[in-house]
Amino acid sequence: MLYRKKKDADSIAKYSELWNNAVDSSYAHMSTRHLQQMHAIFNYSKYKDLAQQKDYELKIRTTFIIVVIIVLFLLFLLFYLRNRLRYNRIKEQNTSYAFDILTLRNREEELSRANKKKDSQNSEYIDRLQNEIESLQEKLSSQQSDKLRPDQWGMRDIFFNAPIVNYLHAISQKGKIASYSDIKSLRLHFEKYDNVFLSFLISKESVLKEREFLLCLLTRLRFLPSEMACLLDVSPQVITNIRAKLLSSLYNIKGGAQIFDEKIRKS
């Protein structure tokens, strides 16, 4: 403004150019700052969207993990309840079988004592005992694979009525596993009362595992598959499969578990 009053054209041009440069520099600075602000706003929006996306993915992953955990828990619970029901059913079956055997022995002893008296007052009591014995015989025979009655396979014989045999029946009711000591006692029992069969099994030990060896002994003694399942700590289906396999291993015959039982009991 001074040089314009003084009409100094050169100075006016000089300072006009300086002013123009200053304005350009200021504008450039303001533009850069504005661009930086725009870039920061863009980055903020970008990172905000990215954070929201990550948060959404985390929620989805967390929900998926929770659903998987719930499904696995439900499957485990179903498996546990199924096995528990099967275990309780086996125990009940074993308890019923052992109780029926014990009851049959007691009733037969009562009948033997009553028959010795042979008086008219005992006739009704004797008839009741005979009917109960007959019912128990039929019930027990229905659980045998060959449907033989206890009086036909000699339940009262010491071979089937020894302490170790009764003990194994008893622990199977509780779902317990046969110990090494139990197995040793059972082998001694066979050495004493059925050494021929024990020798036959010993001759086949190269193809028999310890569990299979014990299964053969228990089958010979007419233990139920459910009892053997408890004593050997396997499922009844595994017992059935092993019996069918042993039929081929021991006798070179193909067939089912029932044929195996027949061969074992007649060996």
Side-chain angles (χ1 to χ4, degrees), residues 4 9-23:
R4 188 165 53 192
D10 292 338
S11 295
I12 292 172
K14 175 183 175 182
Y15 284 98
S16 293
E17 185 178 357
L18 289 173
W19 170 257
N20 185 60
N21 290 339
V23 169

Side-chain angles (χ1 to χ4, degrees), residues 91 94 167-176 227 230-231:
K91 282 181 62 178
N94 295 348
Y167 173 75
L168 290 174
H169 280 300
I171 66 171
S172 72
Q173 298 177 53
K174 302 175 182 178
K176 292 185 177 181
E227 291 182 297
C230 287
L231 295 171

Side-chain angles (χ1 to χ4, degrees), residues 157-171:
D157 296 346
I158 186 63
F159 178 65
F160 294 101
N161 198 22
I164 180 59
V165 179
N166 293 332
Y167 173 75
L168 290 174
H169 280 300
I171 66 171

Side-chain angles (χ1 to χ4, degrees), residues 135-151:
S135 176
L136 287 168
Q137 290 274 3
E138 291 299 324
K139 184 178 179 181
L140 289 168
S141 69
S142 68
Q143 299 179 71
Q144 297 295 320
S145 57
D146 54 10
K147 306 304 179 186
L148 287 182
R149 293 157 51 100
D151 55 2

Side-chain angles (χ1 to χ4, degrees), residues 48-75:
K48 182 180 178 182
D49 291 341
L50 185 61
Q52 289 176 340
Q53 179 66 25
K54 292 291 184 181
D55 184 59
Y56 175 75
E57 291 176 358
L58 179 61
K59 288 179 180 178
I60 293 294
R61 188 161 54 247
T62 303
T63 302
F64 175 75
I65 292 172
I66 291 172
V67 170
V68 169
I69 291 173
I70 291 174
V71 170
L72 290 176
F73 174 75
L74 291 175
L75 288 174

Side-chain angles (χ1 to χ4, degrees), residues 62-255:
T62 303
T63 302
F64 175 75
I65 292 172
I66 291 172
V67 170
V68 169
I69 291 173
I70 291 174
V71 170
L72 290 176
F73 174 75
L74 291 175
L75 288 174
F76 171 78
L77 184 62
L78 181 63
F79 177 78
Y80 172 79
L81 291 176
R82 179 173 173 270
N83 281 349
R84 195 67 190 175
L85 288 173
R86 179 181 64 83
Y87 175 76
N88 290 336
R89 188 167 58 250
I90 289 173
K91 282 181 62 178
E92 288 173 5
Q93 184 178 354
N94 295 348
T95 300
S96 175
Y97 182 69
F99 178 77
D100 289 339
I101 288 177
L102 180 61
T103 303
L104 178 58
R105 287 170 179 161
N106 291 337
R107 296 297 178 268
E108 287 178 338
E109 290 176 3
E110 291 175 22
L111 179 61
S112 177
R113 289 193 297 268
N115 282 329
K116 290 178 181 179
K117 295 182 180 180
K118 291 184 178 180
D119 54 46
S120 57
Q121 294 179 350
N122 271 350
S123 60
E124 184 177 342
Y125 176 61
I126 289 173
D127 289 340
R128 188 167 68 251
L129 285 175
Q130 288 176 336
N131 290 334
E132 188 174 355
I133 288 171
E134 183 66 22
S135 176
L136 287 168
Q137 290 274 3
E138 291 299 324
K139 184 178 179 181
L140 289 168
S141 69
S142 68
Q143 299 179 71
Q144 297 295 320
S145 57
D146 54 10
K147 306 304 179 186
L148 287 182
R149 293 157 51 100
D151 55 2
Q152 293 174 304
W153 47 263
M155 184 195 71
R156 286 175 291 181
D157 296 346
I158 186 63
F159 178 65
F160 294 101
N161 198 22
I164 180 59
V165 179
N166 293 332
Y167 173 75
L168 290 174
H169 280 300
I171 66 171
S172 72
Q173 298 177 53
K174 302 175 182 178
K176 292 185 177 181
I177 306 170
S179 66
Y180 174 79
S181 176
D182 298 332
I183 298 171
K184 184 177 179 181
S185 297
L186 191 61
R187 288 189 66 146
L188 292 174
H189 174 71
F190 271 84
E191 285 182 10
K192 185 174 182 179
Y193 295 103
D194 198 358
N195 193 48
V196 173
F197 177 72
L198 182 64
S199 299
F200 165 71
L201 290 184
I202 292 174
S203 69
K204 301 288 186 177
E205 276 189 320
S206 60
V207 297
L208 287 176
K209 298 177 182 177
E210 182 179 348
R211 183 171 63 184
E212 296 170 342
F213 193 96
L214 180 57
L215 184 144
C216 291
L217 299 181
L218 296 173
T219 302
R220 182 80 163 181
L221 287 166
R222 291 186 172 270
F223 277 76
L224 297 181
S226 58
E227 291 182 297
M228 292 188 281
C230 287
L231 295 171
L232 299 177
D233 193 26
V234 294
S235 69
Q237 184 58 51
V238 170
I239 294 294
T240 300
N241 295 341
I242 293 176
R243 286 151 69 202
K245 170 180 170 288
L246 289 177
L247 180 64
S248 175
S249 301
L250 295 178
Y251 302 101
N252 199 26
I253 298 174
K254 290 186 177 181

